Structure formats: structure tokens, C-alpha cells
């Protein structure tokens, strides 16, 4: 979120407005410009004409799809989780800790604040939840895979994902550029 804030501030300083909660429903290019039709959260539609379009709209990029660029590569079978938690970390906050064992993989990153940690780990195939993980789920996984008792008071957010290795075969089509996860995934 810090990087995003810095980029938004730089764009605003340069005179650009950053909009949110809009969906790209059409994108065309002609005569040295690109024309995007956006649908706002309230259902209204707006046409935006620009010299350039940068599609930085994630792995399912509507911009990439609009210009017909595929995402080539593969997805690995293993499922992982991410969690930002408040935890009583027993091993000190001075460094990253990684656990590699037959029970699974986990990495622990101290974040700003006294108790905030980012936990990344593997999920056993028989423990895939229907929804995101709770603080209790993360605590159980840490104990099962590391043997550590790490009391987790709160999960600020969690996510479940598969590791991908995918890339667009090209990052520019006319006046449209692809960037970030819209162009390459190497999780």
C-alpha cells in the first residue's frame, strides 16, 4: 500500500486523476489515441480518450483481453496462503524466519508495529478452506507445520493463492501498455 500511495501521489502531482471502482467495458484505438468506455459503480458509463493506456489491472486484465494478448505459462499445484496478523512471535523481530519441512513451508516477516507479522505458507490439499483463513486457522497451520506456539490475536487480512509463472508475449499493442500482474505473474 505504500508503493501504491507513492505512485498515486506522483500521478496527482503530475495533474492526473486516479479513479477507482470503475470497470473497463470497451477499449479501441485510432488516430493516435485510445478510447475506453468505463462503467462506474453506480452503473453510469463514461468515455475516456487518452494518448496512452496502461493496463495495470491485475491477472485477469480487461485491458489485456481487450487488445487480444494472451497470458502464457502455467500454474503450480501447491496452494499457499498470505496473512497479515498480530502475533506473539517467540523468535524475535529482528529478521525474517523461514521454515522448510515435510509438513510444509512457512515464512515470517516482521512488519511495522510491535506485533504485526506477515505469514506466508503452504496449505495442505486436505485443508483448503472455502473462504479466507481466520486468525485461528493461521495459528493452527503454524503450529502443525513448525511446532511453534504462536498466539495470533487478529488477522488483518488473509488470502489464498496458487503460484503462477505466466507472461504476456508482448507488453505493448499500439497505444496500450501492459504492466504489473496484467503483464507477468511470477508469484
Amino acid at each position: 500500500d505504500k508503493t501504491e500511495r507513492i505512485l498515486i501521489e506522483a500521478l496527482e502531482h503530475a495533474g492526473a486523476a486516479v479513479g477507482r471502482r470503475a470497470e473497463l467495458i470497451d477499449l479501441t484505438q485510432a488516430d493516435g489515441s485510445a478510447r475506453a468506455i468505463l462503467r462506474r459503480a453506480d452503473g453510469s458509463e463514461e468515455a475516456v480518450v487518452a494518448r496512452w493506456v496502461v493496463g495495470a489491472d491485475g491477472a485477469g486484465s480487461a485491458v489485456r483481453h481487450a487488445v487480444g494478448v494472451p497470458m502464457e505459462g502455467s500454474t503450480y499445484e501447491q496452494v499457499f496462503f498470505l496473512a497479515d496478523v498480530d502475533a506473539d512471535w517467540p523468535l524475535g523481530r529482528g529478521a525474517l524466519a523461514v521454515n522448510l519441512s515435510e509438513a510444509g513451508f512457512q515464512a515470517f516477516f516482521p512488519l511495522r508495529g510491535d506485533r504485526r507479522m506477515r505469514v506466508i505458507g503452504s496449505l495442505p490439499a486436505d485443508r483448503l478452506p472455502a473462504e479466507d483463513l481466520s486468525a485461528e486457522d493461521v495459528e493452527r497451520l503454524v503450529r502443525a507445520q513448525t511446532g511453534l506456539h504462536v498466539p495470533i490475536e487478529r488477522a488483518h487480512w488473509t488470502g489464498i493463492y496458487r503460484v503462477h509463472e505466466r507472461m504476456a508475449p508482448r507488453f505493448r499493442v499500439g497505444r496500450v501498455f501492459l504492466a504489473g500482474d496484467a503483464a507477468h505473474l511470477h508469484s
Side-chain angles (χ1 to χ4, degrees):
D1 63 316
K2 279 185 177 181
T3 302
E4 185 174 350
R5 234 179 326 195
I6 290 167
L7 292 171
I8 289 170
E9 288 171 6
L11 285 167
E12 290 173 345
H13 182 73
V18 176
R20 301 234 183 235
R21 300 181 47 94
E23 173 188 7
L24 177 71
I25 57 175
D26 190 40
L27 177 61
T28 56
Q29 301 182 65
D31 301 326
S33 66
R35 183 174 188 262
I37 306 295
L38 305 176
R39 181 177 298 132
R40 301 284 176 198
D42 65 4
S44 64
E45 292 184 5
E46 174 185 2
V48 177
V49 177
R51 289 180 51 206
W52 304 99
V53 172
V54 178
D57 53 339
S61 174
V63 173
R64 190 182 68 250
H65 289 292
V67 294
V69 175
M71 190 66 109
E72 299 171 351
S74 61
T75 303
Y76 298 103
E77 289 297 317
Q78 179 64 53
V79 179
F80 292 87
F81 72 91
L82 282 168
D84 279 1
V85 300
D86 288 337
D88 293 326
W89 181 243
L91 301 180
R93 298 191 46 81
L96 156 76
V98 177
N99 174 65
L100 297 169
S101 71
E102 289 183 18
F105 158 81
Q106 290 186 345
F108 305 88
F109 301 84
L111 299 176
R112 190 173 292 179
D114 292 338
R115 302 179 65 232
R116 184 74 63 97
M117 300 286 295
R118 173 158 297 159
V119 182
I120 301 173
S122 56
L123 277 172
D126 62 346
R127 291 196 183 160
L128 298 181
E131 299 177 4
D132 285 343
L133 300 170
S134 67
E136 295 79 21
D137 293 330
V138 175
E139 187 172 324
R140 279 192 294 274
L141 284 163
V142 169
R143 183 176 285 200
Q145 294 179 352
T146 67
L148 291 172
H149 176 62
V150 181
I152 296 176
E153 180 180 309
R154 177 178 177 207
H156 293 275
W157 68 264
T158 65
I160 298 169
Y161 66 99
R162 290 190 187 274
V163 175
H164 300 270
E165 185 176 354
R166 298 181 186 279
M167 184 176 293
R170 61 186 190 265
F171 300 139
R172 180 179 179 190
V173 177
R175 305 201 69 78
V176 177
F177 291 90
L178 300 173
D181 286 351
H184 54 82
L185 294 170
H186 301 283
S187 48

